[in-house]
């Protein structure tokens, strides 16, 4: 009987470890959302639902939102600034964010490459850009840029839709 409990306990421990290893960290969850092609076809509300529970619309005073963005994330995400537009009507067209932790470079690069393929511009191990096909024929060009800087330990991320002439 004790052997049965020991085996059951061991199985539960292994299962718990496997689940814990497969759960993304809060920062990885946010990067997964930001690097998803679905973000281009999401509106503000849908994007915020995808970022929950780690990020929410900013409640900071307006002046501080100008500096730090209209999205607030928990401390474990380490978002220094995070702006996403538009807040009303239409799909997300611009995301500009700065995160602490240049060590996240490998993860961000892996996710972006998996979702968007080979980068169109590579300036270094952690400085890349992707030009993406328009969502529809004749539609605007879409792009993603990211750079990780060890000098200030930051990851800079931009996702956008080019505006026409």
């Amino acid at each position: 009987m004790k052997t049965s409990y020991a085996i059951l306990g061991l199985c539960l421990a292994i299962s718990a470890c496997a689940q814990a290893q497969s759960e993304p960290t809060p920062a990885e969850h946010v990067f997964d959302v930001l690097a998803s092609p679905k973000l281009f076809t999401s509106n503000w509300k849908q994007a915020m639902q995808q970022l929950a529970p780690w990020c929410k619309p900013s409640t900071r005073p307006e002046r501080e939102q100008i500096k730090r963005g209209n999205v607030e994330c928990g401390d474990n995400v380490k978002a220094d600034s995070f702006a996403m537009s538009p807040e009303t009507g239409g799909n997300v067209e611009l995301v500009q964010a700065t995160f602490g932790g240049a060590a996240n470079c490998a993860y961000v690069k892996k996710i972006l490459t998996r979702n968007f393929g080979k980068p169109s511009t590579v300036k270094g191990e952690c400085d890349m850009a992707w030009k993406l096909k328009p969502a529809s024929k004749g539609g605007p060009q879409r792009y993603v840029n990211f750079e990780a800087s060890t000098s200030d330990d930051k990851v800079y991320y931009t996702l956008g839709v080019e505006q026409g002439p």
Side-chain angles (χ1 to χ4, degrees), residues 35 37-38 48 54 65 68 72-73 77 84 92 123 131 140:
K38 290 181 187 177
M48 293 310 300
W54 308 116
Q65 284 189 39
R68 302 212 33 217
E72 277 181 60
C73 297
V77 174
M84 186 166 53
V92 171
K123 295 180 184 173
K131 286 189 178 182

Side-chain angles (χ1 to χ4, degrees), residues 5-22:
Y5 285 122
I7 292 172
L8 179 61
L10 182 62
C11 289
L12 289 173
I14 291 171
S15 175
C17 285
Q19 282 184 332
Q21 289 175 352
S22 65

Side-chain angles (χ1 to χ4, degrees), residues 19-147:
Q19 282 184 332
Q21 289 175 352
S22 65
E23 285 292 316
T25 67
E28 289 172 346
H29 173 82
V30 171
F31 288 133
D32 288 344
V33 173
L34 293 181
S36 170
K38 290 181 187 177
L39 192 60
F40 283 113
T41 58
S42 299
N43 61 35
W44 168 266
K45 184 178 178 183
Q46 292 166 332
M48 293 310 300
Q49 288 171 343
Q50 293 170 36
L51 290 166
W54 308 116
C55 300
K56 63 181 183 174
S58 181
T59 57
R60 297 179 185 117
E62 189 173 328
R63 183 173 282 263
E64 192 166 340
Q65 284 189 39
I66 292 170
K67 294 178 189 174
R68 302 212 33 217
N70 58 354
V71 178
E72 277 181 60
C73 297
D75 291 340
N76 45 6
V77 174
K78 299 179 184 172
D80 293 338
S81 65
F82 191 158
M84 186 166 53
S85 69
E87 288 186 47
T88 56
N91 293 336
V92 171
E93 293 183 348
L94 179 66
V95 174
Q96 291 181 310
T98 304
F99 299 94
N104 288 316
C105 164
Y107 185 80
V108 175
K109 183 169 91 173
K110 178 180 93 172
I111 295 298
L112 288 169
T113 303
R114 182 182 72 202
N115 290 341
F116 301 123
K118 185 178 173 184
S120 24
T121 306
V122 178
K123 295 180 184 173
E125 183 67 23
C126 293
D127 186 354
M128 302 176 183
W130 285 258
K131 286 189 178 182
L132 310 174
K133 293 179 181 176
S136 59
K137 191 172 183 175
Q141 181 77 42
R142 302 172 301 158
Y143 61 91
V144 177
N145 299 315
F146 104 94
E147 176 185 355

